[in-house]
């Protein structure tokens, strides 16, 4: 005999169980997703603290320099998003072409190859890469063509999943997706989310109404692979 249960009833039972566990003080603390921030080592600790301050509410932030040993290994340990700062033109070009002959380019290649979301923050010398083509007005034609050529590498990295941002935009960038470390994902979790994607553990139970609501909102639920 096949038993069928109403989705609303299932949702109600799940919420009651969760509320009961919370009332008993289960002591389970949902960990924040890990964000790796890498810089060139020239920044003072006080400056780094100021940069990460807006991110600490929702992220567990790990800080490394490009000179750190085992940098690539660190990036492969539960990192849900990486922010690579101080991106110069050399790394921009090498990264787009897949070169891995330096610590920064090897790190970038590893992140892109594994599908880890990565935000690239250009160094001051390469900040022009974030400007529109209109900013090139007044430059000689050869300079315009050269800048257009370099921008193709930026565009190529974007097609590989990388995003570019200024330091002031980092807080906005990390809101683009949400990593939920919960045992159960409910309809309310979906209703309260204002992001295009939610990533959950492969061990997370997703209720039927959560799936239906996500579909109605156009929200994508991604399952994090081990």
């Amino acid at each position: 005999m096949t038993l069928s249960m109403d989705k609303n009833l299932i949702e109600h039972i799940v919420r009651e169980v969760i509320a009961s566990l919370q009332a008993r003080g289960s002591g389970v603390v949902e960990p924040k997703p890990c964000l790796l921030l890498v810089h060139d080592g020239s920044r003072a600790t006080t400056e780094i603290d100021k940069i990460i301050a807006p991110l600490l509410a929702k992220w567990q932030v790990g800080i490394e320099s490009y000179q750190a040993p085992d940098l690539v290994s660190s990036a492969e340990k539960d990192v849900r998003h990486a922010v690579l700062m101080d991106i110069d033109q050399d790394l921009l070009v090498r990264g787009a072409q897949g070169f891995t002959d330096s610590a920064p380019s090897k790190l970038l290649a590893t992140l892109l190859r594994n599908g880890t979301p990565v935000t690239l923050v250009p160094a001051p010398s390469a900040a022009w890469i974030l400007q529109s083509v209109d900013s090139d007005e007044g430059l000689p034609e050869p300079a315009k063509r050269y800048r257009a050529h370099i921008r193709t590498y930026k565009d190529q990295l974007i097609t590989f999943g990388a995003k570019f941002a200024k330091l002031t935009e980092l807080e906005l960038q990390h809101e683009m997706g949400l990593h939920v470390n919960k045992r159960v994902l409910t309809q309310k979790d979906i209703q309260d989310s204002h992001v295009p994607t939610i990533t959950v553990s492969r061990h997370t139970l997703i209720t039927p109404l959560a799936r239906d609501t996500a579909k109605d909102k156009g929200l994508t639920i991604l399952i994090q692979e081990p």
Side-chain angles (χ1 to χ4, degrees), residues 8-37:
N8 288 290
L9 177 59
I10 295 174
E11 189 76 18
H12 176 74
I13 293 173
V14 169
R15 289 189 185 184
E16 288 293 322
V17 171
I18 293 175
S20 176
L21 290 173
Q22 291 174 339
R24 294 176 188 176
S26 62
V28 177
V29 178
E30 300 295 348
K32 297 176 184 177
C34 296
L35 180 144
L36 176 65
L37 185 143

mmCIF file of all heavy atoms in Angstrom, residues 8-37:
data_model
loop_
_atom_site.group_PDB
_atom_site.id
_atom_site.type_symbol
_atom_site.label_atom_id
_atom_site.label_comp_id
_atom_site.label_asym_id
_atom_site.label_seq_id
_atom_site.Cartn_x
_atom_site.Cartn_y
_atom_site.Cartn_z
ATOM 1 N N ASN A 8 1.760 20.270 2.634
ATOM 2 C CA ASN A 8 1.611 21.219 3.739
ATOM 3 C C ASN A 8 1.719 20.513 5.085
ATOM 4 O O ASN A 8 2.269 21.065 6.043
ATOM 5 C CB ASN A 8 0.264 21.940 3.640
ATOM 6 C CG ASN A 8 0.234 22.947 2.504
ATOM 7 O OD1 ASN A 8 0.879 23.982 2.559
ATOM 8 N ND2 ASN A 8 -0.517 22.623 1.457
ATOM 9 N N LEU A 9 1.208 19.283 5.152
ATOM 10 C CA LEU A 9 1.313 18.522 6.387
ATOM 11 C C LEU A 9 2.765 18.172 6.681
ATOM 12 O O LEU A 9 3.226 18.270 7.823
ATOM 13 C CB LEU A 9 0.462 17.249 6.291
ATOM 14 C CG LEU A 9 0.531 16.303 7.505
ATOM 15 C CD1 LEU A 9 0.073 17.026 8.761
ATOM 16 C CD2 LEU A 9 -0.321 15.064 7.247
ATOM 17 N N ILE A 10 3.492 17.767 5.631
ATOM 18 C CA ILE A 10 4.915 17.450 5.807
ATOM 19 C C ILE A 10 5.656 18.675 6.312
ATOM 20 O O ILE A 10 6.467 18.600 7.251
ATOM 21 C CB ILE A 10 5.517 16.952 4.483
ATOM 22 C CG1 ILE A 10 4.892 15.627 4.055
ATOM 23 C CG2 ILE A 10 7.036 16.803 4.612
ATOM 24 C CD1 ILE A 10 5.334 15.146 2.693
ATOM 25 N N GLU A 11 5.372 19.824 5.696
ATOM 26 C CA GLU A 11 6.040 21.062 6.091
ATOM 27 C C GLU A 11 5.729 21.389 7.554
ATOM 28 O O GLU A 11 6.609 21.789 8.313
ATOM 29 C CB GLU A 11 5.600 22.203 5.186
ATOM 30 C CG GLU A 11 6.391 23.491 5.356
ATOM 31 C CD GLU A 11 7.758 23.432 4.714
ATOM 32 O OE1 GLU A 11 7.978 22.554 3.851
ATOM 33 O OE2 GLU A 11 8.613 24.257 5.077
ATOM 34 N N HIS A 12 4.480 21.206 7.933
ATOM 35 C CA HIS A 12 4.071 21.496 9.309
ATOM 36 C C HIS A 12 4.798 20.587 10.298
ATOM 37 O O HIS A 12 5.289 21.046 11.345
ATOM 38 C CB HIS A 12 2.555 21.318 9.451
ATOM 39 C CG HIS A 12 2.046 21.501 10.849
ATOM 40 N ND1 HIS A 12 1.944 22.736 11.455
ATOM 41 C CD2 HIS A 12 1.637 20.584 11.781
ATOM 42 C CE1 HIS A 12 1.497 22.592 12.684
ATOM 43 N NE2 HIS A 12 1.292 21.295 12.901
ATOM 44 N N ILE A 13 4.889 19.306 9.975
ATOM 45 C CA ILE A 13 5.568 18.357 10.865
ATOM 46 C C ILE A 13 7.037 18.721 11.009
ATOM 47 O O ILE A 13 7.592 18.720 12.113
ATOM 48 C CB ILE A 13 5.416 16.914 10.321
ATOM 49 C CG1 ILE A 13 3.952 16.473 10.402
ATOM 50 C CG2 ILE A 13 6.306 15.961 11.103
ATOM 51 C CD1 ILE A 13 3.678 15.141 9.732
ATOM 52 N N VAL A 14 7.680 19.058 9.889
ATOM 53 C CA VAL A 14 9.107 19.411 9.921
ATOM 54 C C VAL A 14 9.324 20.645 10.784
ATOM 55 O O VAL A 14 10.240 20.683 11.612
ATOM 56 C CB VAL A 14 9.634 19.658 8.488
ATOM 57 C CG1 VAL A 14 11.025 20.285 8.541
ATOM 58 C CG2 VAL A 14 9.685 18.351 7.712
ATOM 59 N N ARG A 15 8.480 21.650 10.627
ATOM 60 C CA ARG A 15 8.637 22.876 11.416
ATOM 61 C C ARG A 15 8.429 22.596 12.904
ATOM 62 O O ARG A 15 9.117 23.157 13.759
ATOM 63 C CB ARG A 15 7.649 23.946 10.939
ATOM 64 C CG ARG A 15 7.984 24.528 9.582
ATOM 65 C CD ARG A 15 7.105 25.722 9.284
ATOM 66 N NE ARG A 15 7.312 26.241 7.944
ATOM 67 C CZ ARG A 15 6.732 27.325 7.459
ATOM 68 N NH1 ARG A 15 5.890 28.012 8.218
ATOM 69 N NH2 ARG A 15 6.964 27.731 6.233
ATOM 70 N N GLU A 16 7.465 21.728 13.220
ATOM 71 C CA GLU A 16 7.209 21.395 14.611
ATOM 72 C C GLU A 16 8.409 20.679 15.228
ATOM 73 O O GLU A 16 8.793 20.943 16.367
ATOM 74 C CB GLU A 16 5.958 20.504 14.714
ATOM 75 C CG GLU A 16 4.644 21.231 14.459
ATOM 76 C CD GLU A 16 4.345 22.241 15.540
ATOM 77 O OE1 GLU A 16 4.632 21.970 16.718
ATOM 78 O OE2 GLU A 16 3.839 23.333 15.196
ATOM 79 N N VAL A 17 9.014 19.780 14.465
ATOM 80 C CA VAL A 17 10.187 19.057 14.967
ATOM 81 C C VAL A 17 11.348 20.012 15.190
ATOM 82 O O VAL A 17 12.042 19.964 16.214
ATOM 83 C CB VAL A 17 10.587 17.941 13.976
ATOM 84 C CG1 VAL A 17 11.935 17.330 14.390
ATOM 85 C CG2 VAL A 17 9.520 16.859 13.936
ATOM 86 N N ILE A 18 11.577 20.920 14.228
ATOM 87 C CA ILE A 18 12.662 21.884 14.358
ATOM 88 C C ILE A 18 12.433 22.782 15.561
ATOM 89 O O ILE A 18 13.343 23.040 16.361
ATOM 90 C CB ILE A 18 12.796 22.726 13.076
ATOM 91 C CG1 ILE A 18 13.272 21.846 11.916
ATOM 92 C CG2 ILE A 18 13.775 23.880 13.302
ATOM 93 C CD1 ILE A 18 13.314 22.570 10.586
ATOM 94 N N ALA A 19 11.196 23.253 15.723
ATOM 95 C CA ALA A 19 10.877 24.128 16.854
ATOM 96 C C ALA A 19 11.069 23.402 18.172
ATOM 97 O O ALA A 19 11.549 23.971 19.156
ATOM 98 C CB ALA A 19 9.439 24.632 16.723
ATOM 99 N N SER A 20 10.719 22.118 18.189
ATOM 100 C CA SER A 20 10.877 21.340 19.408
ATOM 101 C C SER A 20 12.342 21.172 19.785
ATOM 102 O O SER A 20 12.723 21.310 20.939
ATOM 103 C CB SER A 20 10.227 19.960 19.217
ATOM 104 O OG SER A 20 10.430 19.141 20.359
ATOM 105 N N LEU A 21 13.177 20.900 18.791
ATOM 106 C CA LEU A 21 14.604 20.748 19.045
ATOM 107 C C LEU A 21 15.209 22.056 19.539
ATOM 108 O O LEU A 21 16.052 22.070 20.439
ATOM 109 C CB LEU A 21 15.315 20.286 17.775
ATOM 110 C CG LEU A 21 15.024 18.848 17.330
ATOM 111 C CD1 LEU A 21 15.663 18.577 15.972
ATOM 112 C CD2 LEU A 21 15.545 17.856 18.366
ATOM 113 N N GLN A 22 14.775 23.162 18.934
ATOM 114 C CA GLN A 22 15.291 24.460 19.354
ATOM 115 C C GLN A 22 14.857 24.787 20.773
ATOM 116 O O GLN A 22 15.614 25.347 21.560
ATOM 117 C CB GLN A 22 14.825 25.547 18.385
ATOM 118 C CG GLN A 22 15.454 25.444 17.007
ATOM 119 C CD GLN A 22 14.874 26.431 16.014
ATOM 120 O OE1 GLN A 22 13.763 26.937 16.209
ATOM 121 N NE2 GLN A 22 15.616 26.702 14.954
ATOM 122 N N ALA A 23 13.609 24.423 21.120
ATOM 123 C CA ALA A 23 13.103 24.694 22.464
ATOM 124 C C ALA A 23 13.853 23.896 23.517
ATOM 125 O O ALA A 23 14.001 24.324 24.658
ATOM 126 C CB ALA A 23 11.603 24.369 22.525
ATOM 127 N N ARG A 24 14.338 22.724 23.132
ATOM 128 C CA ARG A 24 15.080 21.902 24.078
ATOM 129 C C ARG A 24 16.521 22.357 24.230
ATOM 130 O O ARG A 24 17.265 21.797 25.043
ATOM 131 C CB ARG A 24 15.066 20.438 23.607
ATOM 132 C CG ARG A 24 13.687 19.803 23.625
ATOM 133 C CD ARG A 24 13.757 18.404 23.053
ATOM 134 N NE ARG A 24 12.429 17.825 22.889
ATOM 135 C CZ ARG A 24 12.208 16.630 22.332
ATOM 136 N NH1 ARG A 24 13.232 15.904 21.906
ATOM 137 N NH2 ARG A 24 10.969 16.173 22.220
ATOM 138 N N GLY A 25 16.904 23.347 23.407
ATOM 139 C CA GLY A 25 18.285 23.839 23.513
ATOM 140 C C GLY A 25 19.272 22.805 23.020
ATOM 141 O O GLY A 25 20.142 22.346 23.759
ATOM 142 N N SER A 26 19.087 22.375 21.811
ATOM 143 C CA SER A 26 19.947 21.323 21.266
ATOM 144 C C SER A 26 21.397 21.728 21.207
ATOM 145 O O SER A 26 22.291 20.893 21.128
ATOM 146 C CB SER A 26 19.475 20.954 19.845
ATOM 147 O OG SER A 26 19.579 22.077 18.991
ATOM 148 N N GLY A 27 21.673 23.048 21.251
ATOM 149 C CA GLY A 27 23.059 23.501 21.258
ATOM 150 C C GLY A 27 23.740 23.413 19.911
ATOM 151 O O GLY A 27 24.947 23.589 19.810
ATOM 152 N N VAL A 28 22.979 23.121 18.855
ATOM 153 C CA VAL A 28 23.566 23.022 17.532
ATOM 154 C C VAL A 28 23.733 24.428 16.952
ATOM 155 O O VAL A 28 22.767 25.174 16.835
ATOM 156 C CB VAL A 28 22.683 22.173 16.591
ATOM 157 C CG1 VAL A 28 23.271 22.154 15.194
ATOM 158 C CG2 VAL A 28 22.561 20.760 17.134
ATOM 159 N N VAL A 29 24.923 24.790 16.616
ATOM 160 C CA VAL A 29 25.207 26.092 16.028
ATOM 161 C C VAL A 29 25.559 25.903 14.562
ATOM 162 O O VAL A 29 26.498 25.177 14.240
ATOM 163 C CB VAL A 29 26.374 26.801 16.753
ATOM 164 C CG1 VAL A 29 26.671 28.134 16.097
ATOM 165 C CG2 VAL A 29 26.032 26.982 18.227
ATOM 166 N N GLU A 30 24.778 26.505 13.699
ATOM 167 C CA GLU A 30 25.035 26.374 12.276
ATOM 168 C C GLU A 30 26.281 27.177 11.909
ATOM 169 O O GLU A 30 26.337 28.391 12.125
ATOM 170 C CB GLU A 30 23.836 26.890 11.471
ATOM 171 C CG GLU A 30 22.533 26.163 11.739
ATOM 172 C CD GLU A 30 22.558 24.714 11.300
ATOM 173 O OE1 GLU A 30 23.503 24.341 10.575
ATOM 174 O OE2 GLU A 30 21.647 23.969 11.684
ATOM 175 N N PRO A 31 27.305 26.530 11.378
ATOM 176 C CA PRO A 31 28.541 27.248 11.047
ATOM 177 C C PRO A 31 28.365 28.170 9.849
ATOM 178 O O PRO A 31 27.551 27.909 8.961
ATOM 179 C CB PRO A 31 29.517 26.108 10.714
ATOM 180 C CG PRO A 31 28.643 24.986 10.232
ATOM 181 C CD PRO A 31 27.383 25.095 11.038
ATOM 182 N N LYS A 32 29.112 29.242 9.863
ATOM 183 C CA LYS A 32 29.093 30.153 8.723
ATOM 184 C C LYS A 32 29.909 29.548 7.588
ATOM 185 O O LYS A 32 30.882 28.833 7.821
ATOM 186 C CB LYS A 32 29.696 31.501 9.124
ATOM 187 C CG LYS A 32 28.946 32.239 10.209
ATOM 188 C CD LYS A 32 29.685 33.517 10.583
ATOM 189 C CE LYS A 32 29.012 34.225 11.742
ATOM 190 N NZ LYS A 32 29.762 35.434 12.156
ATOM 191 N N PRO A 33 29.549 29.837 6.340
ATOM 192 C CA PRO A 33 30.351 29.356 5.213
ATOM 193 C C PRO A 33 31.716 30.035 5.218
ATOM 194 O O PRO A 33 31.876 31.156 5.708
ATOM 195 C CB PRO A 33 29.516 29.755 3.988
ATOM 196 C CG PRO A 33 28.674 30.895 4.466
ATOM 197 C CD PRO A 33 28.366 30.613 5.902
ATOM 198 N N CYS A 34 32.688 29.345 4.651
ATOM 199 C CA CYS A 34 34.068 29.838 4.667
ATOM 200 C C CYS A 34 34.367 30.695 3.438
ATOM 201 O O CYS A 34 34.097 30.278 2.305
ATOM 202 C CB CYS A 34 35.045 28.669 4.707
ATOM 203 S SG CYS A 34 34.924 27.676 6.201
ATOM 204 N N LEU A 35 34.906 31.850 3.672
ATOM 205 C CA LEU A 35 35.354 32.739 2.606
ATOM 206 C C LEU A 35 36.862 32.915 2.748
ATOM 207 O O LEU A 35 37.366 33.205 3.832
ATOM 208 C CB LEU A 35 34.652 34.092 2.697
ATOM 209 C CG LEU A 35 35.031 35.126 1.618
ATOM 210 C CD1 LEU A 35 33.806 35.951 1.233
ATOM 211 C CD2 LEU A 35 36.146 36.054 2.078
ATOM 212 N N LEU A 36 37.578 32.716 1.659
ATOM 213 C CA LEU A 36 39.033 32.893 1.657
ATOM 214 C C LEU A 36 39.378 34.218 1.000
ATOM 215 O O LEU A 36 38.976 34.469 -0.131
ATOM 216 C CB LEU A 36 39.703 31.751 0.888
ATOM 217 C CG LEU A 36 41.230 31.859 0.730
ATOM 218 C CD1 LEU A 36 41.925 31.758 2.083
ATOM 219 C CD2 LEU A 36 41.745 30.770 -0.222
ATOM 220 N N LEU A 37 40.090 35.065 1.708
ATOM 221 C CA LEU A 37 40.541 36.348 1.169
ATOM 222 C C LEU A 37 42.062 36.314 1.061
ATOM 223 O O LEU A 37 42.762 36.053 2.045
ATOM 224 C CB LEU A 37 40.087 37.497 2.074
ATOM 225 C CG LEU A 37 40.388 38.908 1.549
ATOM 226 C CD1 LEU A 37 39.250 39.864 1.895
ATOM 227 C CD2 LEU A 37 41.700 39.438 2.116
#
